[in-house]
Amino acid sequence: MAPTAIPDVFANAVASLRAATPRSEIVLEEVGAPQRLAPFTFALSASVTKPDDDEMATGRLILLYDPAGHEAWEGTMRLVTYVTAEVDVDMAADPLLPTVGWTWLTDALDAQDAHYRAIGGTVTQTMSTRFGELAGPPTAADIEIRASWTPTDEDLGAHLLAWSTLLASTAGLPPPGVTALPGRRTA
């Protein structure tokens, strides 16, 4: 049976996510959240675009809340993310890319003072070459970051800003106030 009353803790957490404002290249949209993972869920999707409207990265951030808690979560709330972006083929071939991608997440959380525990995830780098009927552009490469962590309080604004920083890093955007050289990827 589905719960009818929204707990204050969950409502406050959602309000803090809605109140946080990412940098201008990141467009957020509320989307349907998976309903079977926890009694209360909320989700945002994001796209990172260049000024010419080219999409550089996409992501999803899901808030799970279970008043009973989960042992693996070490708490009652869990943030889950999926971020993906196309990268240069040379970058995707770098064996250090997964470590760098993971550091983008943990450094962003730490820089925003977003307190967390029980963090875990994967970083995947892929290269694809098309053949036959799918022949087309040259080899394409992607990075994909999947992670989850438990925030230690219900104010999740810092977590959303950290996630926005992760999106920007994955997309290769320069830090705010820095101008990238034309045709160069900063990540």
Side-chain angles (χ1 to χ4, degrees):
M1 185 167 145
T4 55
I6 296 175
D8 287 343
V9 170
F10 179 72
N12 292 339
V14 169
S16 68
L17 289 171
R18 287 177 172 152
T21 305
R23 55 192 284 179
S24 62
E25 300 93 341
I26 299 173
V27 177
L28 299 178
E29 179 183 356
E30 290 183 26
V31 294
Q35 298 300 307
R36 295 183 182 167
L37 299 176
F40 300 93
T41 59
F42 176 79
L44 294 167
S45 72
S47 60
V48 182
T49 57
K50 292 180 186 177
D52 58 6
D53 288 334
D54 283 347
E55 190 172 81
M56 300 168 62
T58 60
R60 184 170 283 214
L61 183 68
I62 301 167
L63 169 62
L64 307 174
Y65 176 69
D66 187 340
H70 280 272
E71 187 176 329
W73 294 0
E74 297 179 23
T76 58
M77 271 192 274
R78 192 78 173 161
L79 287 168
V80 180
T81 189
Y82 168 78
V83 172
T84 186
E86 188 173 325
V87 294
D88 295 331
V89 172
D90 291 340
M91 183 183 290
D94 188 334
L96 294 177
L97 181 60
T99 302
V100 170
W102 187 254
T103 301
W104 289 334
L105 172 61
T106 57
D107 285 356
L109 287 165
D110 294 342
Q112 290 294 331
D113 205 23
H115 300 284
Y116 61 92
R117 63 177 162 258
I119 192 168
T122 62
V123 178
T124 305
Q125 62 204 83
T126 60
M127 287 194 280
S128 302
T129 305
R130 299 171 185 226
F131 296 96
E133 293 296 317
L134 295 177
T139 300
D142 295 291
I143 183 172
E144 176 183 287
I145 301 168
R146 293 177 185 261
S148 63
W149 63 93
T150 300
T152 58
D153 64 50
E154 65 191 59
D155 183 355
L156 303 181
H159 294 268
L160 185 121
L161 294 176
W163 181 62
S164 298
T165 300
L166 169 64
L167 283 159
S169 297
T170 305
L173 293 179
V178 175
T179 303
L181 296 174
R184 301 291 295 180
R185 185 147 181 187
T186 60

